Structures are given as structure tokens and as C-alpha cells.
Amino acid sequence: MSHFVTTAEKPALPRPVDPSERGVAGWLRRHLFSSWSSTAITLIMLLLLGKLAWLFLDWAVFRAVWSVPSAPSPDTQACRTADAGACWALIREKYRFILFGLYPYAEQWRAALSVLIFISLYPLSADRRLWGWKLVMLWVAGLATVFVLMYGGVMGLAYVPEDQWGGLPVTLMLATFGIALALPLAVVVALGRSSANPTVRTMCVIYVELIRGIPLISVLFMASVMFPLFLPDGMNFSKLLRAQLGIVLFMGAYLSETIRGGLQAVPAGQSEAAQSLGLGYWKTMYFVVMPQALTLVLPPIISLCIGLFKSTSLVMIIGIFDLLNAGKRAIAEPAWQGFGAEAYIFVGAIYFAFCFSMARFGAGLEKRLRRDR
């Protein structure tokens, strides 16, 4: 009978988890109170955060003024006393002006309905069961309804010219159309920069480098002032449409470089394998290369979209009444001067809600695409 003795070391078994290290208390003990120095830093940070939170709550809630007499004109003396906190009466009085700008007061339900349509379309776009022609038709129907509501002039709705549009609907239009139209432009430019044709490649390089070399403010200014100079006599576009064109061109240049990076990250074997199966260039790009490239660069694309949403506020320099511009004008009245913090906090909260939703949507989409790979 033979016996074998092994000399190899057995792998160390994982240390059993102490019951005191489980749960929330265990996590806090491991990450925040694991040593004397860690405990001291944690307590100092908690004291600072608690102090800041108390100061903000004291100003924004406990000493806030929620309403002031408004007839015949706003009396804001209650907001100007020494112990007064935030003057939220400004938001109560001006929230419709901030949200809808100069849109006629009696017709603002149309602007509000347009905002609801936009907000409804965003989560529907995240439903993968609707991806394809269903989603395209849904967006076409939604945007057609938005334009009918905003313009009017049909079905008994009063006509409202574009120079009276403002506030949140304008911001959502500029951001939505800017992203939706810039993305296909960016795909074309990215493919053009990778083209073997030197003329196409040079034109794409000139476009990208020209747009990337100037700030968005200059692009908006040129689209607003210089673009009409190149149009034939009698032809002109509205200021809002010209600003939209400038945003699309600006966003398309930046997105194209991001997508080009994704194209370069896809292994060449993917294209070679598709071509060995008999797929042509466009089918190879559409079915094989581009889906992988867009998946790889989805995080920077989402970041660019969030940046564009916030950058739409720059249209105020060419006189378009977007959300931020409406908030700024709301505090221009003598009665409300000095309460800019409340207006900007209100506008900032709206921007944050949309940007945070876009970030969560991007994170969920990235996780779903990674799981499907």
C-alpha cells in the first residue's frame, strides 16, 4: 500500500467574516472609523457638513419668506428685514415668467404641455422595446404636436411668434434638436475622417478643426449675425433656428471626434470578419463596427450631451429668452432686485434635475449594453 505526501501549499481559505463587520455598522467601522486618524477626519467632516447644512436650512427654510403682498405691486419689505432668510416669494410670484418667458400668460398652458411632451419622450426613448421605427414615429408625432402648440394658428389656437417664446421650452428645444441632429452629423464626419478619399477627409478635418478652434459664443454670434449675410435676398431664418444651426454644428464637431475614437478602438479583425462574410462597407459599419464603437464611447457622449444642455444658456447673448435668461430678467424689476440667489437656485435645480436624469439614463444604458455584449 503506497502513500503520497504533497509538498504544495494549499491555497489559503478566505477569512471568515466577523459578524461585527456585517451590515451598515460594519461598513461604517471599516471605511470611516477604522483608525484614530480616520475617525478624527470623519468627525471633522461631519461637523463641517452639519454646520453648512444647518446654515442653509436656517436661510432657506426656517427664516424664509414665502409670500409678500402683491397688490397693487409687490411689497418686498418683509424680505429685506435683518432676520429674513430666503425670499421664496420671488419664485411664487415669478415662476411662470421664469418657466415660460414672454409667452402670452393666457396661453402658457400650451408651453407647459409642450414641456410635458418633451419630458414624456425622454423616458420612452430609454425603452428598448420601442427602439426603431416606433420610436422615430413617436418622436415625429411628439415634436409635431409641440410645434403646433407653440406656434398655434391652427385648430383655434392663437398664433404666437417665436420672439415671444422663452423659458424652459426653448431650452429643451435647443438641447433636444441639438443632440438629435448633431449625432448623425457626427457619425458622417467621423466616417469621413476615416475615409481613404483625401478630399472627403480634408473637408472633415477642416470642419472639425475650425469649429473646435472657436468658442460656442462665437459660433452663436456668427450664426445669428453673419449667416443671414450669405443668404439670397428675401430669404431669412428666425433667430432661434440660426442658433439651433450653430449648436448642431458645434456639437457635431465634438461628437465626431469622440465617435472617431470609438471607431479606432474596434479591432480591425471585426471589419475583416464581416467582409469575409460578404458584407459591404456600409453594412459592415452599420451592423458590426458602429454599434461597438458607440458602446465604447457612450460615457463621453453622455458627458457631451450634458455639457450641451447647460451650454444652451449661452444663447442669451444673442437675445434668445432661454431658462437662465428668463431667471435673470425676473430679478431685473426694482421690487425683486437683490434676490438673485433664490432665482438662480430655482433655475439651477431645474438644470440639475435634467442633467442628473441624463446621467442616470446614460449609466443604465451603458450597463444594459455591456450586459448584452
Side-chain angles (χ1 to χ4, degrees), residues 193-338:
R193 287 204 67 172
S194 306
S195 172
N197 188 320
T199 305
V200 174
R201 191 170 61 248
T202 303
M203 290 179 63
C204 293
V205 169
I206 292 174
Y207 159 67
V208 171
E209 298 303 330
L210 180 65
I211 294 296
R212 288 200 308 179
I214 52 180
L216 178 57
I217 292 178
S218 300
V219 175
L220 291 172
F221 185 75
M222 287 190 290
S224 175
V225 177
M226 298 185 63
F227 181 66
L229 302 177
F230 299 98
L231 294 177
D233 292 338
M235 180 182 290
N236 197 5
F237 299 115
S238 67
K239 187 187 298 181
L240 184 61
L241 185 58
R242 296 198 297 269
Q244 185 71 80
L245 178 63
I247 288 174
V248 170
L249 291 175
F250 187 84
M251 186 68 175
Y254 280 87
L255 276 177
S256 68
E257 284 301 278
T258 303
I259 294 174
R260 189 169 69 91
L263 291 174
Q264 292 177 345
V266 176
Q270 297 289 317
S271 300
E272 295 168 359
Q275 290 168 2
S276 67
L277 294 175
L279 296 181
Y281 174 78
W282 293 109
K283 287 186 176 180
T284 299
M285 286 294 165
Y286 183 77
F287 291 109
V288 179
V289 178
M290 194 56 71
Q292 297 183 62
L294 292 178
T295 302
L296 289 172
V297 296
L298 186 61
I301 287 178
I302 295 296
S303 296
L304 285 174
C305 293
I306 292 174
L308 174 69
F309 185 84
K310 293 182 292 185
S311 297
T312 55
S313 59
L314 293 175
V315 297
M316 66 188 298
I317 65 162
I318 56 175
I320 292 179
F321 225 76
D322 75 311
L323 180 63
L324 184 61
N325 197 6
K328 186 179 178 183
R329 297 288 183 88
I331 55 175
E333 293 183 17
W336 299 111
Q337 288 183 356

Side-chain angles (χ1 to χ4, degrees), residues 13 22 33 36 49 62 85-86 92 115 151 159 179 191 212 231 241 245 297 314-315 319 331 334 351 371:
L13 296 175
R22 296 174 180 170
F33 302 100
W36 285 108
L49 290 175
F62 302 130
R92 186 174 180 175
V115 171
Y151 270 111
Y159 173 70
I179 295 170
L191 292 176
R212 288 200 308 179
L231 294 177
L241 185 58
L245 178 63
V297 296
L314 293 175
V315 297
I331 55 175
Y351 274 103
R371 187 172 59 242

